[in-house]
Amino acid sequence: MSYYSKIIGTGKGLPEKIMTNKEFESFIETSDEWIRTRTGISQRHIANTEKGESTLSLARLASLNALEKAAISAQDIDLIIVGTVTPESVMPTTANSLQRDLGAVNAFSFDLQAACSGFLYGLSIADQYIRSGTIKTALVVGAETLSTLVDWQNRSTCVLFGDAAGAAILTRSEDRSHSILSTRVYSDGTRGDLLKIPHGYAACPPWRADYSPSEHKIKMQGSEIFKLAVRNMIDASMKVLEDNHLKIEEVDFFIFHQANIRIIEMCVKTLNVPANKTWLNVDKYGNTSAATLPICLDEAWRAGAIKSGDKVLMTTFGGGITWGATLIQL
Ligand code: UT7
């Protein structure tokens, strides 16, 4: 008997505070016009850590929404994976704390670091556990508070990111026509310098004399990353289509990582995807890293833009560098 992973619920979690482009004008040399025309971003949500908003609280919100949509209880979850580069704490992992908060007493849980590709990597791992028959149900979350890691004086990066979480629940099914059809994930550490947060704890512990807080902030070579994001998301998308012997026109909906509207437009144009077959929310949220794909999936599903039986191609690109694509049939 073959097992497959069916997506039965999705959810999102956003901080309350919205920060508009205009607000940046008071502390860096930029303009609403530059940000909108060069990135497509109009605003982003920013976590208020003093009010208890954090990677964990957003992950919790997204997970509760997903559990409600899936109509299952937290005790039904066997595995929790949280994709994040901004974990609540190193130990316990964000996933362990989420397990505690949800009361998911039957789950084992871990965090996964793959930058913006964290959700897709997590999806591929959960899918393998389900297909192998090891587990029945998994909660995969992408949750980030990148506002804690941006250099607020660097106009090339600080305007790009927002805080959020997205979640999906997968469960074992014997019906391939409502499942994750295939996933491809990739990484290239030789290009890691192009988008990085140089210091974790090991490279330079904060008590060392040469410790520099700026090395804990996001650094990006924007135009190089831009070109790679377009090329690699297109390549990965073509690979999952080939894996499934499908043509672009046989796919019902496309979700691209939301980092920059111009990246999405180039992918859409090159792949020849009709504009009404994609989801866009980069204007409202900016780049929410690992949270992006599950939020788009959740919004498109709840809005009726995708429905049961639709073939949905999702693709992402992130720091480090990491990328991938998946084809699901809802
Ligand atoms: O999650 C995946 C990772 N992220 C991405 O995929 C992001 C990829 N990169 C990008 O989206 C774009 O490269 C950026 C939005 C980051 C930059 O846009 P760009 O069109 O590639 O601009 P640029 O880096 O070539 O910079 C052009 C100019 C520079 O000024 P000079 O040197 O020509 O005088 C920048 O200093 O734009 C300047 N600039 C800004 N000006 C006003 C950069 N950021 C800003 C800003 N406001 N916020």
Side-chain angles (χ1 to χ4, degrees):
M1 183 175 311
S2 296
Y3 292 135
Y4 303 99
S5 310
K6 179 180 185 183
I7 298 187
I8 54 169
T10 52
K12 69 176 176 188
L14 289 160
E16 248 175 55
K17 183 184 158 44
I18 291 173
M19 183 174 183
T20 62
N21 291 345
K22 201 95 193 124
E23 288 175 61
F24 286 92
E25 294 177 8
S26 67
F27 61 93
I28 51 170
E29 202 177 310
T30 190
S31 65
D32 172 49
E33 210 258 334
W34 192 96
I35 302 170
R36 269 190 298 104
T37 51
R38 304 306 296 164
T39 72
I41 300 167
S42 300
Q43 60 172 53
R44 71 287 294 139
H45 289 246
I46 301 291
N48 184 338
T49 52
E50 284 170 16
K51 284 198 174 156
E53 284 181 328
S54 64
T55 298
L56 177 60
S57 81
L58 300 175
R60 201 166 46 223
L61 209 57
S63 303
L64 289 171
N65 285 337
L67 278 168
E68 196 184 0
K69 185 159 165 83
I72 62 163
S73 107
Q75 282 123 54
D76 297 327
I77 302 169
D78 304 309
L79 164 65
I80 299 175
I81 303 175
V82 177
T84 185
V85 291
T86 49
E88 189 81 2
S89 56
V90 174
M91 200 164 57
T93 60
T94 311
N96 283 18
S97 300
L98 184 61
Q99 178 205 16
R100 176 201 61 203
D101 289 359
L102 295 176
V105 289
N106 299 311
F108 68 102
S109 48
F110 59 89
D111 285 2
L112 179 161
Q113 279 191 37
C116 301
S117 309
F119 175 78
L120 199 69
Y121 270 53
L123 201 72
S124 76
I125 295 170
D127 184 35
Q128 297 299 325
Y129 270 111
I130 290 172
R131 281 173 181 249
S132 70
T134 312
I135 65 160
K136 197 164 169 234
T137 302
L139 165 66
V140 183
V141 182
E144 301 283 17
T145 44
L146 280 174
S147 64
T148 60
L149 287 182
V150 294
D151 177 350
W152 288 94
Q153 296 309 314
N154 181 344
R155 67 179 183 171
S156 304
T157 50
C158 73
V159 300
L160 303 177
F161 299 99
D163 301 333
I169 294 174
L170 330 180
T171 201
R172 183 196 294 171
S173 158
E174 285 160 32
D175 178 5
R176 187 174 184 271
S177 64
H178 294 282
S179 76
I180 297 175
L181 300 177
S182 65
T183 305
R184 291 256 189 171
V185 286
Y186 304 90
S187 58
D188 181 0
T190 66
R191 297 182 177 210
D193 276 351
L194 296 176
L195 176 49
K196 61 179 179 180
I197 300 163
H199 285 178
Y201 290 90
C204 186
W207 49 88
R208 235 168 66 177
D210 58 344
Y211 170 80
S212 159
S214 77
E215 294 301 292
H216 288 260
K217 308 278 183 193
I218 295 171
K219 300 185 194 304
M220 178 169 72
Q221 293 177 40
S223 56
E224 286 305 307
I225 284 291
F226 188 110
K227 284 180 260 175
L228 277 176
V230 174
R231 192 187 316 146
N232 292 358
M233 285 202 287
I234 289 170
D235 279 358
S237 300
M238 295 309 294
K239 285 270 170 25
V240 292
L241 288 178
E242 278 165 35
D243 291 344
N244 293 281
H245 311 291
L246 286 172
K247 299 195 189 82
I248 288 282
E249 50 276 23
E250 293 173 279
V251 176
D252 299 293
F253 207 74
F254 296 79
I255 294 176
F256 297 94
H257 179 54
Q258 311 275 310
N260 186 321
I261 188 81
R262 292 185 295 131
I263 293 177
I264 301 169
E265 283 168 355
M266 287 180 86
C267 291
V268 162
K269 194 168 163 221
T270 311
L271 289 170
N272 209 10
V273 169
N276 64 347
K277 282 192 174 183
T278 61
W279 195 254
L280 284 181
N281 60 22
V282 67
D283 55 328
K284 289 190 291 182
Y285 308 137
N287 180 352
T288 60
S289 184
T292 301
L293 291 186
I295 291 180
C296 288
L297 186 63
D298 182 58
E299 291 187 341
W301 198 0
R302 285 176 197 259
I306 50 177
K307 53 191 185 317
S308 178
D310 279 356
K311 292 191 188 74
V312 182
L313 194 156
M314 299 199 286
T315 181
T316 190
F317 178 87
I321 60 173
T322 57
W323 68 100
T326 186
L327 187 71
I328 60 174
Q329 190 158 8
L330 261 189

CSV table of all heavy atoms in Angstrom, one decimal, residues 106 260 329:
chain,number,residue,atom,x,y,z
A,106,ASN,N,1.6,14.2,21.7
A,106,ASN,CA,2.0,13.0,21.0
A,106,ASN,C,3.0,13.2,19.9
A,106,ASN,O,3.4,12.3,19.2
A,106,ASN,CB,0.8,12.2,20.4
A,106,ASN,CG,-0.2,11.8,21.5
A,106,ASN,OD1,0.2,11.2,22.5
A,106,ASN,ND2,-1.5,12.2,21.4
A,260,ASN,N,10.0,40.2,-3.9
A,260,ASN,CA,10.1,41.4,-4.7
A,260,ASN,C,9.1,41.2,-5.9
A,260,ASN,O,9.2,40.2,-6.6
A,260,ASN,CB,11.5,41.7,-5.2
A,260,ASN,CG,11.7,43.0,-5.9
A,260,ASN,OD1,10.8,43.4,-6.7
A,260,ASN,ND2,12.8,43.6,-5.7
A,329,GLN,N,-1.5,18.6,-5.1
A,329,GLN,CA,-2.9,18.6,-5.6
A,329,GLN,C,-3.8,18.6,-4.4
A,329,GLN,O,-3.8,17.7,-3.6
A,329,GLN,CB,-3.2,17.3,-6.5
A,329,GLN,CG,-4.5,17.4,-7.2
A,329,GLN,CD,-4.6,16.5,-8.4
A,329,GLN,OE1,-3.7,15.6,-8.6
A,329,GLN,NE2,-5.6,16.6,-9.2
